[in-house]
Amino acid sequence: MKRRTLLQGGTLALLLGTQHIVHGAAILAVRIWPAEDYSRVTIETDTQLFFTQHFVPNPPRLAVDIPGLALDAALREIVAKVVPSDPTILGIRVGQFRPGIVRLVVDLKRPVAPQVFTLSPVAAYRHRLVFDLYPLQVADPLEALIAEHQRDTTPSASLSTAPSAAPSTDPLGEWMARRSSAATAPRQAMSEPADLMDLLAQRSTKAASRPAPQGPARSGTRRLVIVALDPGHGGEDPGAIGPRGTREKDVVLQLARRVRERINTASIDGNPLRAYLVRDGDYFVPLHVRVRKARRVQADLFLSIHADAFYTPRPKGASVFVLSQRGASSAAARWMAARENQADLIGGINVQAKDAHITRTLLDLSTTGQIRESLLLGQTMLGEIGKVGTLHKPMVEQAGFTVLRAPDIPSVLVEAAFLSNPDEEAQLNNEAFQERLAEAIFRSIQRYFAQRPPTARDRVV
């Protein structure tokens, strides 16, 4: 095995050719971004690196050989950057495998599907070698939201109590209880519902045979109403940076969490609200993945939160944008969409792995109905935000934002303020202002659903 490994390393130079091997590439920075979605390792250098990778499944580890590097103090720093809380990376080892070839081994806590690729210089970055480590087993985010709601509303003892003669008003809780007991009991007869939809169908049949209740009927069907909150940028992509060093990715995540706190304690016409954060940490999420994550949880509304920036400190005020199929509503909106759509270049995506078909489908399926609903939501949001801060423009703007292209979800992008304006940068760092802004955003969501009650879906609670 050792001889085979040495042969692989020895043939690397022959395969690349002498013209492709860098000599003495300088390490500019090493970074690690841990997250539940995936963990990322980046090595930034002054020239492009080449590599070969080997994945060993048991115990899981990724080995990457990099020619043209010498083991120096800058590269050794990567070992100490692994944090114990990283859900994927157990540790990193680095050594001089052969003269001119460094071997980096990433020991893993769980099986992953690794993607190793290079990125060309962009924005403040030079050449980057990127390791994206995606876990093979990923929790279903919709199931997690429903389970979280159940923990908040159902006493733990209720799952173990015997069923009463009266019909339950919580079919999801009943189904989860059956699933839980089925895991420890012998298989039951086929009379037990196989899944939640079977249970609901069974309950609907029984309900049809009972007399209709007297009195006024409730409007709508009681079910979970999900708002997808999308804090912009993250990880390798800091977004705008204010004159005092405030990073957009940090303040928008703080604001999104404040909005989430309000949403998770509210309801609409008896339907419990629940917020889903597309990014709940400091890591990068590609634009098309943000859309896909919102659709995966069947979100009823999508809100992307950003902080604006310009070349001069004078512009100020919040803006609200929705998608346009016919070009931007202004030159400023066009410039803003182009700036936000560059996130994939700065954050860094593996071009070969990007699902171009899905992205193209999203572009084609964006509907006029979605845009119409988004305009209503955007105008409502402008009215509430204008009560607590300055508006950059009093009307909703439109442009081709990639992140707003969910064809079946009303979607808006809010630029909360201008980080390039020193006064507004100070406001965004002020806890009291963030609370007022979060409250305004939450009120606009309530007002929108009051005008457009969410339609019934399968996720009944």
Side-chain angles (χ1 to χ4, degrees):
M1 179 65 183
K2 182 176 180 182
R3 182 174 180 269
R4 182 182 176 187
T5 303
L6 289 172
L7 285 173
Q8 287 177 336
T11 57
L12 179 63
L14 295 176
L15 292 172
L16 291 174
T18 56
Q19 72 273 20
H20 289 130
I21 297 182
V22 294
H23 297 280
I27 304 291
L28 304 178
V30 290
R31 292 177 289 270
I32 299 178
W33 307 96
E36 282 293 337
D37 286 25
Y38 74 108
S39 290
R40 167 173 285 194
V41 178
T42 61
I43 301 174
E44 186 179 359
T45 58
D46 63 346
T47 188
Q48 183 179 1
L49 295 177
F50 295 87
F51 63 90
T52 58
Q53 64 184 86
H54 320 277
F55 182 73
V56 182
N58 189 26
R61 59 194 185 275
L62 173 68
V64 180
D65 292 339
I66 311 170
L69 281 185
L71 187 60
D72 59 7
L75 192 55
R76 286 192 179 97
E77 286 181 5
I78 200 168
V79 176
K81 288 183 178 288
V82 178
V83 295
S85 59
D86 192 312
T88 303
I89 300 176
L90 178 64
I92 294 181
R93 294 173 282 148
V94 61
Q96 196 73 50
F97 176 55
R98 293 188 59 192
I101 300 179
V102 164
R103 169 165 289 183
L104 190 145
V105 179
V106 184
D107 295 307
L108 302 163
K109 294 179 180 178
R110 51 183 174 174
V112 302
Q115 293 184 14
V116 184
F117 56 97
T118 59
L119 295 171
S120 300
V122 62
Y125 295 110
R126 299 292 300 277
H127 295 274
R128 285 175 288 173
L129 177 61
V130 180
F131 307 12
D132 280 350
L133 308 169
Y134 291 91
L136 291 181
Q137 292 186 343
V138 182
D140 186 313
L142 180 55
E143 283 188 11
L145 284 174
I146 294 174
E148 181 182 287
H149 171 71
Q150 287 297 113
R151 289 195 301 269
D152 292 346
T153 58
T154 306
S156 58
S158 66
L159 293 181
S160 59
T161 58
S164 62
S168 167
T169 59
D170 188 359
L172 178 61
E174 180 183 336
W175 177 71
M176 291 178 69
R178 294 186 186 187
R179 286 285 300 274
S180 178
S181 61
T184 56
R187 274 208 176 273
Q188 302 296 317
M190 289 300 289
S191 59
E192 279 294 310
D195 58 28
L196 176 58
M197 295 312 299
D198 289 343
L199 175 61
L200 293 174
Q202 184 185 90
R203 293 285 303 282
S204 297
T205 303
K206 292 179 180 178
S209 64
R210 292 197 298 268
Q214 301 300 313
R218 289 174 59 100
S219 62
T221 301
R222 188 174 186 272
R223 57 95 168 177
L224 210 59
V225 179
I226 297 176
V227 178
L229 300 175
D230 172 43
H233 309 281
E236 294 278 89
D237 177 18
I241 300 178
R244 298 175 187 170
T246 303
R247 299 181 301 186
E248 179 182 1
K249 67 174 183 177
D250 298 329
V251 292
V252 297
L253 180 58
Q254 294 167 10
L255 182 58
R257 286 171 172 168
R258 295 182 193 277
V259 177
R260 177 178 61 180
E261 291 174 3
R262 288 161 168 80
I263 290 175
N264 285 353
T265 59
S267 63
I268 300 293
D269 193 24
N271 298 311
L273 276 169
R274 184 63 60 180
Y276 169 66
L277 257 63
V278 171
R279 174 176 74 87
D280 195 10
D282 187 13
Y283 56 97
F284 173 69
V285 182
L287 297 175
H288 74 285
V289 175
R290 295 171 189 260
V291 178
R292 187 162 55 193
K293 291 177 74 171
R295 300 190 75 204
R296 187 177 179 188
V297 298
Q298 302 175 37
D300 298 278
L301 185 154
F302 180 89
L303 172 60
S304 192
I305 305 176
H306 293 255
D308 219 335
F310 200 65
Y311 299 116
T312 69
R314 288 186 302 172
K316 61 180 181 178
S319 304
V320 175
F321 297 87
V322 303
L323 186 65
S324 171
Q325 290 180 312
R326 299 186 300 271
S329 57
S330 69
R334 186 183 306 108
W335 178 84
M336 186 60 61
R339 173 182 169 273
E340 297 297 353
N341 290 345
Q342 285 183 333
D344 281 353
L345 295 176
I346 299 171
I349 61 170
N350 186 356
V351 176
Q352 292 181 339
K354 183 178 179 181
D355 195 334
H357 173 70
I358 290 179
T359 305
R360 186 167 54 252
T361 301
L362 290 177
L363 293 177
D364 295 340
L365 288 181
S366 297
T367 64
T368 55
Q370 184 259 33
I371 294 175
R372 183 175 60 251
E373 290 297 310
S374 301
L375 283 167
L376 174 62
L377 171 61
Q379 198 60 50
T380 304
M381 200 157 285
L382 275 178
E384 293 295 336
I385 294 176
K387 298 174 183 178
V388 301
T390 305
L391 293 180
H392 185 62
K393 283 190 177 181
M395 75 284 291
V396 178
E397 296 226 64
Q398 293 183 255
F401 290 88
T402 300
V403 79
L404 300 180
R405 294 186 182 276
D408 48 357
I409 308 173
S411 304
V412 301
L413 184 146
V414 174
E415 296 282 359
F418 275 83
L419 266 180
S420 50
N421 182 296
D423 294 336
E424 294 201 339
E425 179 187 18
Q427 278 188 321
L428 286 175
N429 282 304
N430 182 278
E431 183 175 344
F433 177 78
Q434 278 208 12
E435 285 289 330
R436 292 195 300 272
L437 188 55
E439 182 66 25
I441 293 173
F442 170 65
R443 285 198 308 267
S444 66
I445 292 171
Q446 284 184 311
R447 282 186 54 198
Y448 171 78
F449 281 130
Q451 299 173 73
R452 293 287 195 273
T455 57
R457 292 194 184 181
D458 292 342
R459 52 172 185 274
V460 178
V461 298

